[in-house]
């Protein structure tokens, strides 16, 4: 077995002190940039591997952050994660990722594993049904938690998310302004804070416009393109004949538009559709999707920064920190038209 390379080996080969090598490998500004790079090149040439466990014993920090979300296959979470990763990279932290798929047990196992590994903190979008005790376990063991996208009403922790009620109201008001009065809402669930807030925004916008709220126009559940596509059958068969739909997110909206097109109707002409999140795919969909920018990148950046600040000893303020959404008007919405009678099954 090859001999393990030590800091002293690198130091001796360069004729410098072990302390300088240690500082350079930790990107300390006390060592000139050119010298740091020379030391790193020599470390790589000698096959030196940084011993994170030994460093954590010296500093009481592992440099490891846990990130747990519902499903990284959803581009919404992907954009949040990209921003978290960028912020952590700048501060020499790495992260371990877990998808909980709304399994409380899977999420709990991840937090326990993170504690066993000596994780410094966790950024999480809590699973449906998460007990407050699961998060408190992390906090009480010196591993602070930051929430993104979702909240737990029982805990007053720093939480970063878009203002979902305001954002859905923007989309609903946009459709009302185009003359639509029979507007369905498709997707989401009351089991999450996000779902409750988005539905509240839809209801409030209708009420302020003097439009009766019809529970029959709500189709809960879908959160994916496949779900939106399958919901098109239900949507097109509603007896109220809605002329527009506010969708839970862009994925649902794009799936719904595909279903509407399959039925022989034209999204944006026969039926107006809005999405939510302004994912990259929204602007290149056919037709391009009217949606609401929800600040995912800003959510990720602020959450990572808040956790790093807490680890540095300055307390990030508890409570909700909302990003103000913005409307993105494209081709999938248009003026009200009487419902077409020639739609076929999807």
């Amino acid at each position: 077995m090859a001999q393990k390379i030590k800091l002293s080996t690198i130091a001796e080969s360069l004729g410098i002190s072990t302390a300088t090598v240690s500082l350079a490998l930790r990107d300390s500004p006390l060592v000139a940039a050119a010298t740091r790079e020379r030391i790193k090149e020599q470390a790589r040439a000698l096959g030196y591997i940084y011993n994170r466990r030994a460093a954590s014993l010296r500093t009481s920090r592992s440099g490891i952050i846990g990130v747990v979300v519902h499903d990284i296959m959803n581009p919404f979470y992907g954009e949040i994660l990209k921003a978290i990763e960028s912020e952590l990279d700048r501060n020499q932290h790495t992260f371990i990722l877990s998808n909980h798929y709304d399994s409380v047990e899977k999420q709990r196992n991840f937090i326990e594993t993170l504690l066993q590994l000596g994780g410094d903190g966790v950024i999480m979008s809590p699973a449906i049904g998460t007990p407050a005790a699961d998060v408190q376990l992390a906090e009480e063991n010196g591993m602070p938690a930051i929430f993104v996208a979702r909240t737990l009403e029982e805990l007053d922790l720093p939480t970063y998310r878009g203002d979902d009620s305001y954002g859905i109201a923007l989309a609903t008001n946009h459709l009302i302004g185009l003359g639509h009065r029979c507007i369905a809402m498709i997707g989401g669930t009351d089991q999450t804070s996000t779902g409750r807030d988005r539905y509240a925004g839809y209801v409030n916008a209708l009420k302020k416009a003097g439009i009766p709220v019809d529970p029959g126009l709500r189709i809960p559940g879908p959160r994916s393109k496949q779900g939106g596509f399958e919901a098109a059958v239900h949507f097109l068969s509603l007896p109220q004949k809605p002329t527009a739909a506010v969708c839970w997110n862009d994925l649902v909206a794009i799936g719904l538009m595909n279903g509407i097109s399959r039925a022989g109707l034209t999204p944006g002409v026969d039926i107006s559709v809005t999405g939510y999140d302004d994912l990259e795919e929204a602007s290149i969909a056919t037709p391009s999707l009217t949606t609401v920018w929800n600040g995912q990148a800003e959510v990720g950046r602020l959450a990572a920064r808040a956790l790093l600040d807490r680890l540095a000893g300055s307390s990030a303020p508890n409570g909700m920190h909302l990003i103000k959404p913005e409307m993105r008007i494209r081709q999938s919405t248009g003026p009200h038209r009487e419902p077409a009678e020639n739609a076929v099954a999807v």
Side-chain angles (χ1 to χ4, degrees):
M1 184 177 292
Q3 183 178 2
K4 186 176 180 180
I5 303 301
K6 299 179 180 179
L7 290 181
S8 57
T9 307
I10 303 171
E12 289 171 6
S13 69
L14 294 173
I16 58 179
S17 71
T18 301
T20 300
V21 172
S22 177
L23 288 169
L25 294 178
R26 288 184 281 125
D27 285 317
S28 171
L30 298 175
V31 180
T35 303
R36 288 203 306 269
E37 188 55 35
R38 184 164 64 95
I39 291 170
K40 288 181 179 181
E41 287 180 1
Q42 183 67 353
R44 285 192 291 268
L46 293 173
Y48 174 77
I49 303 298
Y50 180 68
N51 190 331
R52 186 176 293 277
R53 285 184 300 174
S56 67
L57 290 174
R58 293 191 299 269
T59 64
S60 298
R61 294 291 183 196
S62 65
I64 296 173
I65 302 297
V67 180
V68 57
V69 298
H70 172 256
D71 182 7
I72 195 60
M73 293 300 291
N74 183 336
F76 168 78
Y77 286 114
E79 291 182 10
I80 290 178
L81 179 61
K82 183 178 179 181
I84 289 173
E85 181 180 33
S86 179
E87 193 67 26
L88 294 180
D89 280 349
R90 280 196 290 271
N91 292 270
Q92 289 80 53
H93 281 72
T94 191
F95 69 91
I96 301 174
L97 174 66
S98 176
N99 299 298
H100 55 57
Y101 306 111
D102 277 327
S103 166
V104 172
E105 182 178 1
K106 183 174 175 61
Q107 178 181 263
R108 182 181 297 128
N109 289 338
F110 175 71
I111 292 175
E112 290 177 353
T113 299
L114 197 60
L115 285 167
Q116 292 164 9
L117 293 172
D120 291 339
V122 61
I123 298 172
M124 60 190 300
S125 178
I128 291 174
T130 297
D134 285 8
V135 183
Q136 289 169 330
L137 174 67
E139 288 273 325
E140 291 167 0
N141 282 276
M143 194 172 74
I146 304 289
F147 288 153
V148 292
R150 296 177 178 177
T151 61
L152 288 183
E153 295 176 357
E154 306 94 320
L155 295 177
D156 184 26
L157 292 177
T159 303
Y160 296 85
R161 52 180 285 194
D163 188 339
D164 292 303
S165 179
Y166 174 83
I168 283 290
L170 282 179
T172 308
N173 285 328
H174 168 67
L175 294 171
I176 292 170
L178 290 170
H180 296 279
R181 292 297 180 270
C182 190
I183 303 168
M185 182 170 183
I186 301 177
T189 170
D190 283 340
Q191 292 180 289
T192 67
S193 57
T194 309
R196 293 189 293 271
D197 286 352
R198 290 187 187 179
Y199 185 61
Y202 161 79
V203 168
N204 291 338
L206 293 177
K207 287 182 176 179
K208 287 182 180 179
I211 300 173
V213 177
D214 183 351
L217 289 173
R218 188 184 189 192
I219 304 176
R223 288 184 280 178
S224 65
K225 280 191 280 190
Q226 183 65 32
F229 180 79
E230 293 172 355
V233 175
H234 187 179
F235 172 78
L236 292 172
S237 65
L238 288 171
Q240 302 94 321
K241 299 294 183 184
T243 61
V246 173
C247 292
W248 165 260
N249 62 19
D250 289 350
L251 300 180
V252 172
I254 291 169
L256 179 72
M257 290 198 301
N258 289 338
I260 289 171
S261 297
R262 182 77 64 88
L265 301 174
T266 303
V269 179
D270 296 312
I271 296 174
S272 289
V273 178
T274 66
Y276 203 92
D277 292 334
D278 195 25
L279 303 177
E280 182 179 0
E281 190 175 354
S283 63
I284 60 174
T286 303
S288 58
L289 181 63
T290 294
T291 186
V292 177
W293 172 82
N294 199 28
Q296 297 88 275
E298 190 70 356
V299 166
R301 185 188 69 81
L302 291 173
R305 185 69 262 160
L307 181 56
L308 291 170
D309 286 346
R310 288 188 69 179
L311 295 176
S314 61
S315 296
N318 289 334
M320 192 77 68
H321 304 270
L322 296 177
I323 307 300
K324 191 173 184 179
E326 298 174 3
M327 200 72 205
R328 300 285 189 261
I329 300 173
R330 300 191 179 105
Q331 298 171 330
S332 68
T333 53
H336 168 266
R337 291 178 53 169
E338 289 303 318
E341 299 295 335
N342 60 343
V344 298
V346 179

